[in-house]
Amino acid sequence: MYEEIHVSVEQASDAKVLIISVAARLAGMHPQTLRQYDRLGLVQPGRAGGGGRRYSERDVALLREVQRLSQEDGVNLAGIKRIIGLEQMAGDLQQRVAELEQQLADAYARIAQLEAMNPYAGRGDLVRQENHSTALVVWRPRRPADR
């Protein structure tokens, strides 16, 4: 009756539309297991108007990953919760790095645009210079008699 869906957590939809019995069947678990995982904070289903749990494809993929870590790798539920949290943090950080890289690229493009409008263009005053100088500057303080 239900078509088996296999998607990775990254590819899955976030729409919370699956009732607990459907999500449990798709994840290959008993609905009571999903309730327990909700209480433990391993998965956070949405709630319908009447209070019933609603799961997304991403939740089902996550439930499958919880099951795999538990059964195949022997990780306890506390360890699985920590793994999930760290993976989420790593994903958030990767997204932030991508955003910052884009901001940096935009800033370099803006600098290049401003340099193109600069009458002193060609000197490289507004663009980061890659060539490093090996010059040595010696500074000697003035003696009171020199003033």
Side-chain angles (χ1 to χ4, degrees), residues 6-13 57-58 61-62 64:
H6 291 283
V7 292
S8 71
V9 176
E10 295 81 22
Q11 297 171 328
S13 167
E57 289 177 12
R58 186 179 306 270
L62 182 60
R64 285 191 185 125

Side-chain angles (χ1 to χ4, degrees), residues 20-130:
I20 192 166
S21 60
V22 173
R25 180 172 291 178
L26 290 172
M29 299 177 176
H30 191 278
Q32 193 60 36
T33 305
L34 274 64
R35 291 183 187 95
Q36 180 66 21
Y37 288 174
D38 180 15
R39 282 191 289 278
L40 294 172
L42 291 173
V43 65
Q44 288 82 31
R47 296 288 178 168
R53 292 171 174 86
R54 294 291 186 265
Y55 294 85
S56 67
E57 289 177 12
R58 186 179 306 270
D59 293 334
V60 171
L62 182 60
L63 288 165
R64 285 191 185 125
E65 180 66 8
V66 168
Q67 187 175 45
R68 185 193 67 74
L69 287 168
S70 175
Q71 293 178 357
E72 295 176 17
D73 296 339
V75 180
N76 65 26
L77 294 179
I80 292 171
K81 185 174 183 177
R82 182 74 176 140
I83 290 169
I84 290 169
L86 290 171
E87 286 178 344
Q88 178 64 44
M89 185 184 303
D92 292 348
L93 289 172
Q94 287 172 339
Q95 181 178 351
R96 182 65 179 141
V97 166
E99 291 168 1
L100 290 171
E101 286 174 338
Q102 183 59 52
Q103 289 176 8
L104 183 62
D106 293 346
Y108 279 133
R110 180 68 177 141
I111 288 170
Q113 182 184 32
L114 290 171
E115 184 181 53
M117 298 180 338
N118 183 359
Y120 300 105
R123 291 187 1 189
D125 290 344
L126 294 178
V127 179
R128 181 177 63 160
Q129 297 295 308
E130 294 296 331

